[in-house]
Amino acid sequence: MTHDDIQLLVAALISVLALVGLIVSRLRLHPLLALLVVCVGVGFATGMAPDTLVKAITNGAGKTLGAVGVVIALGAMLGKVLADTGVTDGLAGAILTKASPSSIPWAMALVAFIVGIPMFFEVGLVVLLPLIFSVARKLEEQKAIKGSAYVYVGVPVIAALASMHGMVPPHPGPLTAIATLKTSVGATMIYGFIAAIPSIVLGGPVYARFIAPRLTVRPDQALVDQFSVGKADPGRPVGIGLGVLVALLPAILMLVHALAEMLVPKSSFTFKMAAFLGNPIIAMLIGVLFAAIVLVYARHGDAEKLRDALGASLKPVAGILLIIAGGGAFQQVLTDAKVGDAIVHLTQAFALPPLAGADPTLNLPLLALSIGCGSLFFNYANHAGYWMVKESFGMTMGEATKTISVVQSIVAVVGLAMVLLMNLLPPLA
């Protein structure tokens, strides 16, 4: 390690502490302002030129909004349609009818496990927020559990989505590791599913039962109302089958894309069409339009009321979008300042032998999985997913750390433990 590497690592650590201090101290600075202030501070502290720093901030914020912001906006619209037509209320009621309060976390983990196979973490959370809020609101009204019903229901979803995102192709982390190591997608996927199951169990339902009684988290009432308050027309109730189809259509389109990546030649028309329809923005757009058509227009609903509802759905998420953009800017500044390179140099100082290629018998699919597990550990303020969970659930930074940061750390550690156990067995052919 060089002196510059040490300075970069110290600057990165101080920037995170400063961010927390600005938000939780007496200043009580808004998270967006705190993120931008810290971006400027860490940029100058690491020697970035002013024009380079500004470019990093704008690129990071813009890239994050482009990748996540539009999807969240469309997800808010879809959630509003589902809530206003009584679909989420009906699905939540069906889950509560079939499952006892003690088994709700297991049911939500299973739903998120399925949804998380094709969906990125943030996209999956957007899709499932209406169901999370509807189930949690009903549990809260029934006084069925102690502590935060939203944490009780949400933590298993976070654990399942994180496990899928970090361990199972075709998510970007595992795919990047697979491409770099030139190993098998199929074997890595099988290992990923095996490692994900205990990770989800311990990081989801088990941890939810522990942490929920210790927190009083409750989302902003406007967001709860948007996603969970609504009743179906008694004369024209929406069937459970149709409700599930409408709610999960974006996930289905993304799953088709994921399957096409593994089964269809990338030069084929089928793959290109699946990739287009399975793009998160296109899939969510189709989901919103399909919901509007089958739940409102086909049932002779009020088009003017629908338009007003869709417009109103964006107001509760506007602040969330900007804070997520600030998180993207912070991440980009740290990246452009070469903090990642300094971390690599730090690991090299431990004089560990090279992993890939050091042993011809090395199980490369498991190595790819271990990299995916490592990418999940302690998701914090430099990641858009952290801010999305924090703001969506109305958490303080401490509460967000006790939920998403700890959950993803549990998932990462359990996943790595499973890698080590599976490495004792004969490799998959």
Side-chain angles (χ1 to χ4, degrees):
M1 282 186 66
T2 66
H3 179 68
D4 290 341
D5 290 334
I6 295 174
Q7 283 188 320
L8 285 173
L9 293 174
V10 171
L13 177 60
I14 292 176
S15 69
V16 173
L17 296 176
L19 176 63
V20 176
L22 289 172
I23 295 174
V24 304
S25 68
R26 290 184 179 181
L27 292 175
R28 288 292 192 272
L29 209 59
H30 188 276
L32 175 61
L33 293 177
L35 283 163
L36 294 178
V37 168
V38 170
C39 283
V40 173
V42 73
F44 286 138
T46 55
M48 295 178 68
D51 58 335
T52 304
L53 173 57
V54 171
K55 185 177 180 180
I57 293 173
T58 54
N59 286 350
K63 183 168 62 177
T64 302
L65 278 180
V68 179
V70 178
V71 173
I72 292 176
L74 290 171
M77 290 183 173
L78 178 59
K80 182 64 172 173
V81 176
L82 294 175
D84 285 357
T85 55
V87 170
T88 47
D89 187 75
L91 293 177
I95 291 175
L96 289 171
T97 299
K98 300 289 185 181
S100 64
S102 62
S103 62
I104 287 295
W106 299 92
M108 296 302 297
L110 177 60
V111 171
F113 175 85
I114 296 170
V115 170
I117 293 173
M119 286 191 164
F120 293 179
F121 177 85
E122 292 86 355
V123 181
L125 186 60
V126 168
V127 169
L128 290 176
L129 273 179
L131 187 59
I132 294 171
F133 284 9
S134 294
V135 173
R137 181 177 61 84
K138 287 181 177 292
L139 285 177
E140 188 179 54
E141 291 173 352
Q142 296 171 2
K143 295 182 171 49
I145 64 164
K146 295 180 180 179
S148 172
Y150 295 88
V151 170
Y152 186 71
V153 176
V155 160
V157 172
I158 293 170
L161 293 177
S163 297
M164 294 294 100
H165 188 83
M167 299 183 190
V168 179
H171 292 284
L175 276 186
T176 301
I178 289 167
T180 302
L181 298 172
K182 296 181 175 58
T183 187
S184 167
V185 173
T188 307
M189 177 174 283
I190 293 172
Y191 282 136
F193 278 124
I194 295 172
I197 292 172
S199 301
I200 293 170
V201 169
L202 294 177
V206 173
Y207 185 65
R209 290 179 65 88
F210 168 79
I211 194 63
R214 293 165 171 80
L215 296 177
T216 57
V217 169
R218 195 178 196 281
D220 182 83
Q221 187 61 45
L223 207 57
V224 174
D225 291 345
Q226 172 167 315
F227 283 150
S228 65
V229 176
K231 296 290 183 183
D233 185 339
R236 296 174 297 173
V238 179
I240 292 296
L242 178 60
V244 170
L245 175 62
V246 175
L248 296 184
L249 180 60
I252 294 171
L253 293 174
M254 292 184 204
L255 179 59
V256 171
H257 176 207
L259 294 174
E261 282 190 312
M262 295 180 289
L263 302 176
V264 179
K266 292 189 177 181
S267 59
S268 67
F269 173 79
T270 301
F271 174 81
K272 293 177 181 178
M273 183 57 64
F276 173 73
L277 295 177
N279 178 278
I281 292 178
I282 301 301
M284 292 300 298
L285 174 61
I286 293 173
V288 174
L289 295 177
F290 183 71
I293 291 170
V294 302
L295 299 180
V296 180
Y297 295 130
R299 302 164 72 85
H300 307 293
D302 189 331
E304 186 74 22
K305 183 178 179 181
L306 172 64
R307 186 179 68 177
D308 292 343
L310 294 179
S313 71
L314 299 177
K315 295 177 183 177
V317 300
I320 296 174
L321 293 177
L322 291 175
I323 292 170
I324 291 173
F330 184 36
Q331 182 180 27
Q332 190 65 50
V333 169
L334 292 176
T335 301
D336 290 359
K338 307 298 183 185
V339 172
D341 292 346
I343 295 174
V344 171
H345 297 159
L346 174 64
T347 61
Q348 290 173 343
F350 296 127
L352 294 173
L355 295 175
D359 183 351
T361 64
L362 189 66
N363 191 325
L364 292 182
L366 281 180
L367 178 58
L369 177 57
S370 69
I371 294 171
C373 292
S375 70
L376 295 171
F377 188 80
F378 207 74
N379 182 309
Y380 199 56
N382 63 323
H383 195 278
Y386 173 91
W387 292 101
M388 183 174 174
V389 171
K390 176 186 178 301
E391 297 302 318
S392 297
F393 285 85
M395 296 175 175
T396 64
M397 291 198 73
E399 290 167 340
T401 302
K402 293 174 183 176
T403 51
I404 181 170
S405 300
V406 173
V407 166
Q408 293 206 329
S409 297
I410 294 172
V411 167
V413 172
V414 175
L416 181 58
M418 290 298 297
V419 167
L420 297 175
L421 286 175
M422 288 187 287
N423 194 45
L424 300 175
L425 303 174
L428 294 175

